Amino acid sequence: MNILYVILTSICSIVALFVLTKLMGNRQLSQMSMFDYINGITIGSIAAEFATNLENPLHSFTAMVVYALAAIGISLCTCHSIKLRKFFNGQPLVLYSHNKLYKKNLACAKMDINEFLTQCRIAGYFDLNQLESAILETNGQVSFLPLAEQRPITASDLGVTLQPEVLPYYVVLDGKLIDANLQASGRDEKWLEKELHALGMTQLSDIFFAAIDTKGKLYAIPMLEEKRQHNCFE
């Protein structure tokens, strides 16, 4: 009987976590503030307690709701108050600028020079002379501003006018037609059949993925069941 009770409370905790997460907003770990991270760990721990607490599961559930409401309240406050936003989320921190490394700011960021250089290399900067500035953002990521002569040339630099980019339309996923996307693209099934036939494909079930690209052309990837034997990462 206790096993069944644990199963039921576990299912309830999963449902509760899902609902509370949707209310709080599901952001990636790298986008979380310190409060979001702490709150997420705490709610997860309470959810586990809720699933296994056979005597007073309601207490754990109430605590989960309180933490979630606190997160929602703080999120609303930070949206409307700059001072509270700075208090809960912090401020960006300049680590490097104009060929100067700021040791105190690195210390505030709990980051040593080796870790900073690692972050530079991950971003593609192996030479600090390529950088104008490096800033620690409030989500824990380091953003980099390259020197003007190191940044890629853009169309505006060359005086070239480009056509606006548009999002591609995914029209076939896992062998199934996404009819709403096909209609939104301004095409119909006859057009799709014609394009697929030109690519040597006749059955939707044989297509793993197909999309209409930004130029209005269809590209498709066939469904392959066999497993690739060679793994170049081994």
Side-chain angles (χ1 to χ4, degrees):
M1 188 65 182
N2 285 346
I3 298 295
L4 179 60
Y5 192 75
V6 169
I7 292 173
L8 291 175
T9 52
S10 298
I11 294 173
C12 290
S13 67
I14 292 171
V15 173
L17 275 176
F18 177 78
V19 173
L20 294 174
T21 302
K22 295 295 285 185
L23 289 173
M24 289 186 293
N26 47 341
R27 293 188 289 177
Q28 296 179 0
L29 181 60
S30 62
Q31 298 172 317
M32 287 183 175
S33 66
M34 184 179 296
F35 178 79
D36 293 328
Y37 180 66
I38 294 172
N39 202 52
I41 292 176
T42 306
I43 290 179
S45 299
I46 296 173
E49 176 68 19
F50 170 61
T52 56
N53 188 349
L54 303 182
E55 296 180 0
N56 295 303
L58 186 60
H59 293 175
S60 300
F61 179 77
T62 303
M64 285 173 58
V65 173
V66 170
Y67 271 94
L69 290 177
I72 295 169
I74 290 174
S75 177
L76 292 174
C77 290
T78 54
C79 285
H80 294 89
S81 172
I82 295 177
K83 290 183 179 179
L84 286 177
R85 192 179 309 158
K86 291 179 179 179
F87 177 77
F88 285 107
N89 297 336
Q91 290 180 279
L93 199 60
V94 177
L95 305 177
Y96 176 88
S97 182
H98 303 295
N99 205 30
K100 293 180 180 178
L101 266 172
Y102 295 96
K103 185 176 181 180
K104 289 186 177 180
N105 286 5
L106 284 170
C108 290
K110 305 296 186 294
M111 184 182 296
D112 57 41
I113 182 63
N114 288 333
E115 186 177 353
F116 173 73
L117 293 175
T118 299
Q119 294 292 331
C120 292
R121 291 193 296 272
I122 291 173
Y125 300 103
F126 289 78
D127 187 349
L128 292 183
N129 289 324
Q130 298 175 315
L131 286 175
E132 176 67 32
S133 300
I135 300 169
L136 178 68
E137 304 293 351
T138 56
N139 62 0
Q141 291 184 327
V142 181
S143 56
F144 299 93
L145 176 66
L147 291 171
E149 58 268 24
Q150 294 292 335
R151 67 178 177 82
I153 296 176
T154 63
S156 60
D157 293 330
L158 301 175
V160 177
T161 301
L162 300 177
Q163 294 295 324
E165 290 285 352
V166 295
L167 292 173
Y169 292 94
Y170 301 160
V171 292
V172 180
L173 295 175
D174 241 351
K176 294 180 175 59
L177 174 66
I178 311 300
D179 190 57
N181 287 354
L182 184 62
Q183 291 182 11
S185 70
R187 278 83 172 178
D188 55 22
E189 291 190 37
K190 289 184 178 180
W191 176 89
L192 180 61
E193 290 175 3
K194 181 181 177 181
E195 294 297 315
L196 289 175
H197 184 74
L199 295 173
M201 303 177 185
T202 56
Q203 300 293 329
L204 285 179
S205 58
D206 296 332
I207 303 170
F208 194 26
F209 173 78
I212 301 172
D213 65 16
T214 57
K215 296 180 180 180
K217 294 183 178 181
L218 182 78
Y219 65 95
I221 299 174
M223 190 89 68
L224 296 178
E225 298 295 340
E226 64 267 21
K227 180 180 178 181
R228 180 171 174 169
Q229 298 300 321
H230 175 65
N231 184 0
C232 60
F233 299 106
E234 291 180 347

